[in-house]
Amino acid sequence: MAKKIVTKRSWAEPFKIKMVELLKMTTPEHRLKAISSAGYNTFLLRSEDVYIDLLTDSGTNAMSDRQWAGLMLGDEAYAGSRNYYHLETAVKKFYGYKYLVPTHQGRGAENILSKCLIKEGDIIPGNMYFTTTRLHQELAGGIFEDVIIDEAHDSTNLHPFKGNIDLNKVEALIKKHGASKIPYICVATTVNMAGGQPISLENLKALRKLTLKHGIKIILDMTRVAENAYFIQQREKGYANKSIAAIVKETCSLTDGATMSAKKDALVNIGGFLAVNDKKVFEEARNMVVIYEGLHTYGGLAGRDLEAMAIGIEESLSDDHMAARVGQVIYLGEKLIDAGIPIVQPIGGHGIFIDAKRFLPHVKQAQFPAQALAAAIYTDSGVRTMERGVVSAGRKANGENYFPKLELVRLTIPRRVYTQAHMDVITESIEHVYSIRKKIKGLQMVYEPKYLRFFQARFKPL
Ligand SMILES: *Cc1c(COP(=O)(O)O)cnc(C)c1O
C-alpha cells in the first residue's frame, strides 16, 4: 500500500543500526592544508580527511543485513553464475525489461548502448545532459541536444516536474534533422544536473506517443527511477495511492530500454546494467559486453555484487524506504531554506543544490564560484560537497567552455548512511560559510584533463 507522508509526523528511518563506521574529526588547519594539496578539488581529497561525505550518492549507500548476507551467497563461476539469474529475475519482475546485460557500473552500460545505437552525426535528445552519458554519446559520434523544459534551468522556478521534456523542442529536432537521425531519446529519472528534479508520467506518456509516431526509441537513464516515482506518488494526479513499485514498473513500461547505475537507487556500492526489450539490440549488446566489461553473465562484477544488486533493487522500491530517503533530503533542504541559503527549489530527490551564483554574486562564472564554494565548505567543517557548474560542464567539441545557467554546489546524501544530527551539523556549517561569503574568492584552473575534467582538475585561489 502506498503511503503519503502525513504532515507533523516524522519520517524516521525504517531501520536500526547494526554496525558503525568511525569518523575522524579534523582541525581547520588540517583541512586548509588538505584542500590546498588537493588543488581545491574535493574529488582529490582523501576520504579520511572528510568528516561528512556528501560528494556523491554513488556507491556510498549502506547495504542492509540481507544484502551483506547475499554477498556470502556469491557464486563466483566465470559463466552462468546463479546470482546473474537472480538479477535477471529482479530486473524482469520489478522493471519489466526483457533482456539484461550487467555492467560494472552505469557508464559501462552507456558505452555499450551508445556504440550499439548511435551512428556518426546522429542526434541524441535528452532532458539535460549528464556528464558520462553525453560523453559516451559524443565518443560514439552523436550530438547531444537538450530538450528539457526551460523551467529546469531556473533554480527558483517551483515547477513540480522540472525534469519534464519540452515536446516542442523534440518536434523541432525531428523536423530539422528527420526522425531517422534520432535513434533514441535519453530520458533521465530524476534529472541529476537540474537538481534531482523528477519527470511526470503524464509527460513521459506524451513523449511515448510522439516517439511511436516517428519510430524513435526511448532509453531511460533509470539511475534514480525510484526517487522519481516517489515524487510522482506525492505530486502527480492519480498516483497518490499507487506504490513506488507500481509507479516504477509503469515508468519502465513506457520505454524501450534503460541504462542503470545501480550505485544510486539500487543501494549497492558497485554495479549497473543495460536492459532492453529489443532482441536484436540485446544480442549486439551482449556481444559487445565481452569486449569492454566481461562475460555477459557477470559484466565486470563479482557474483556477490550481482546478488547484492538483486536484493537492493527490491529494497529500493519499498514505500517506507523512499519516504525516509527523500524525507531526509527534504529535512536538510528546509533547514537551509529557513536559514536563507539560496538552493535549487523544489528540493530534489538525492541532494541539495546550492545556487553558487546567488551565494557568491561577486565571483564571475569563469572563476568557478561553485568550485570555490565547495572548497570553502570543506575547510569550514570537513563536509565534502562537489561542483556542478562550469567545471562539470566541460568544453564543447570546438574547445569552447560550456557555460551552464546553473552553477551549483551539490550536497548529495548517501542512502541510509547519515543521521538527522549530521544534517543539523551540515546546516550550521553552511550558515557560517554564508555569513563570511564576501571573503570567498574565485579560483584559477591550473591543470585540466581532457575528459570529464571535474574529477581531476586542479585549481589555485585568485
Ligand atoms: C551516476 C550516473 C551515471 C553514471 O553511472 P556510473 O555508475 O557512475 O558509471 C549516469 N547517469 C546518471 C543520472 C548518474 O547519476
Side-chain angles (χ1 to χ4, degrees):
M1 267 288 287
K3 267 183 242 152
K4 269 214 157 194
I5 290 188
V6 183
T7 41
K8 306 230 174 70
R9 286 287 176 98
S10 191
W11 44 266
E13 293 82 356
F15 57 79
K16 56 185 177 174
I17 296 167
K18 189 177 314 223
M19 190 188 283
V20 297
E21 182 179 340
L22 302 182
L23 298 173
K24 189 168 100 180
M25 312 295 275
T26 50
T27 61
E29 297 72 43
H30 180 92
R31 294 191 292 268
L32 204 55
K33 247 170 90 183
I35 195 71
S36 132
S37 25
Y40 294 83
N41 184 347
T42 50
F43 272 99
L44 300 177
L45 286 166
R46 287 176 185 232
S47 155
E48 61 169 18
D49 292 331
V50 172
Y51 171 38
I52 301 175
D53 203 347
L54 309 182
L55 185 72
T56 172
D57 62 329
S58 178
T60 53
N61 305 305
M63 294 206 295
S64 67
D65 51 354
R66 293 171 68 239
Q67 287 176 290
W68 279 98
L71 293 187
M72 295 305 293
L73 301 176
D75 169 6
E76 306 306 339
Y78 190 90
S81 158
R82 174 193 334 127
N83 315 113
Y84 165 78
Y85 296 103
H86 289 170
L87 180 62
E88 188 189 40
T89 304
V91 167
K92 276 190 189 154
K93 177 173 170 192
F94 296 111
Y95 301 144
Y97 294 118
K98 281 192 199 146
Y99 304 110
L100 164 73
V101 179
T103 56
H104 76 287
Q105 57 185 86
R107 71 197 70 179
E110 291 168 350
N111 176 36
I112 291 169
L113 176 85
S114 301
K115 286 198 161 75
C116 287
L117 295 186
I118 299 173
K119 292 188 304 299
E120 190 67 39
D122 277 352
I123 308 293
I124 319 296
N127 48 350
M128 210 175 258
Y129 85 100
F130 184 72
T131 52
T132 58
T133 320
R134 185 179 69 193
L135 180 58
H136 279 299
Q137 291 163 359
E138 289 172 350
L139 291 172
I143 299 155
F144 167 82
E145 289 281 359
D146 189 4
V147 292
I148 203 164
I149 57 173
D150 288 337
E151 287 88 336
H153 295 281
D154 173 358
S155 72
T156 61
N157 190 296
L158 295 178
H159 192 294
F161 290 102
K162 276 161 96 172
N164 277 357
I165 285 178
D166 184 334
L167 298 182
N168 292 324
K169 291 183 187 171
V170 177
E171 289 196 69
L173 286 174
I174 295 173
K175 210 161 168 197
K176 182 165 169 206
H177 301 280
S180 65
K181 277 271 173 210
I182 306 176
Y184 66 92
I185 298 183
C186 180
V187 176
T189 51
T190 56
V191 180
N192 195 347
M193 304 303 280
Q197 304 295 328
I199 174 171
S200 71
L201 275 174
E202 185 189 16
N203 185 248
L204 190 56
K205 283 178 195 163
L207 182 73
R208 176 76 292 187
K209 222 167 138 188
L210 176 67
T211 51
L212 280 178
K213 201 167 98 192
H214 294 280
I216 297 172
K217 288 185 163 58
I218 299 178
I219 300 291
L220 208 58
D221 179 340
M222 66 180 303
T223 296
R224 296 184 183 81
V225 71
E227 288 168 6
N228 197 86
Y230 177 77
F231 287 117
I232 289 172
Q233 189 187 58
Q234 299 297 308
R235 296 178 187 165
E236 190 161 353
K237 216 172 133 234
Y239 287 92
N241 294 313
K242 293 236 161 87
S243 66
I244 299 286
I247 297 169
V248 164
K249 192 96 180 257
E250 183 173 350
T251 305
C252 296
S253 77
L254 294 164
T255 71
D256 300 285
T259 56
M260 172 65 149
S261 170
K263 304 172 71 173
K264 284 50 170 262
D265 264 3
L267 297 169
V268 287
N269 302 122
I270 193 73
F273 60 77
L274 169 65
V276 291
N277 289 330
D278 183 319
K279 189 152 187 215
K280 264 176 85 178
V281 176
F282 165 62
E283 282 174 352
E284 198 182 336
R286 184 177 58 175
N287 190 208
M288 207 169 277
V289 77
V290 301
I291 312 172
Y292 295 104
E293 305 280 315
L295 194 75
H296 59 277
T297 58
Y298 74 85
L301 296 165
R304 54 179 173 270
D305 300 327
L306 299 169
E307 189 65 28
M309 206 194 312
I311 298 168
I313 286 172
E314 178 165 13
E315 288 182 2
S316 75
L317 302 180
S318 136
D319 289 298
D320 292 332
H321 161 68
M322 203 44 74
R325 188 310 184 252
V326 182
Q328 187 178 45
V329 175
I330 290 174
Y331 173 83
L332 173 63
E334 285 179 347
K335 283 197 80 132
L336 289 169
I337 292 170
D338 288 347
I341 310 297
I343 66 169
V344 174
Q345 293 195 50
I347 296 163
H350 64 299
I352 302 302
F353 293 69
I354 300 175
D355 186 337
K357 280 187 184 168
R358 281 189 285 148
F359 198 111
L360 300 177
H362 57 284
V363 179
K364 292 194 202 86
Q365 198 173 15
Q367 297 170 353
F368 312 112
Q371 190 79 32
L373 181 54
I377 293 168
Y378 169 75
T379 311
D380 179 68
S381 57
V383 171
R384 170 156 70 170
T385 61
M386 76 165 286
E387 194 260 13
R388 276 300 183 213
V390 63
V391 183
S392 291
R395 290 180 189 272
K396 301 176 192 170
N398 67 8
E400 274 171 42
N401 275 308
Y402 284 106
F403 277 102
K405 283 212 183 99
L406 296 176
E407 177 74 22
L408 309 174
V409 170
R410 187 177 78 177
L411 285 65
T412 346
I413 313 299
R415 296 166 188 78
R416 311 193 288 201
V417 171
Y418 291 115
T419 65
Q420 196 156 323
H422 287 117
M423 300 302 124
D424 295 345
V425 168
I426 295 160
T427 308
E428 288 159 17
S429 169
I430 308 248
E431 269 188 270
H432 178 248
V433 174
Y434 193 60
S435 74
I436 56 156
R437 64 191 178 278
K438 294 212 172 80
K439 288 197 210 145
I440 300 171
K441 297 197 175 71
L443 299 169
Q444 180 191 348
M445 202 186 301
V446 292
Y447 167 67
E448 179 178 357
K450 183 163 173 212
Y451 299 116
L452 303 173
R453 64 183 182 185
F454 60 97
F455 285 131
Q456 291 150 340
R458 299 184 68 89
F459 302 83
K460 70 173 195 221
L462 280 171

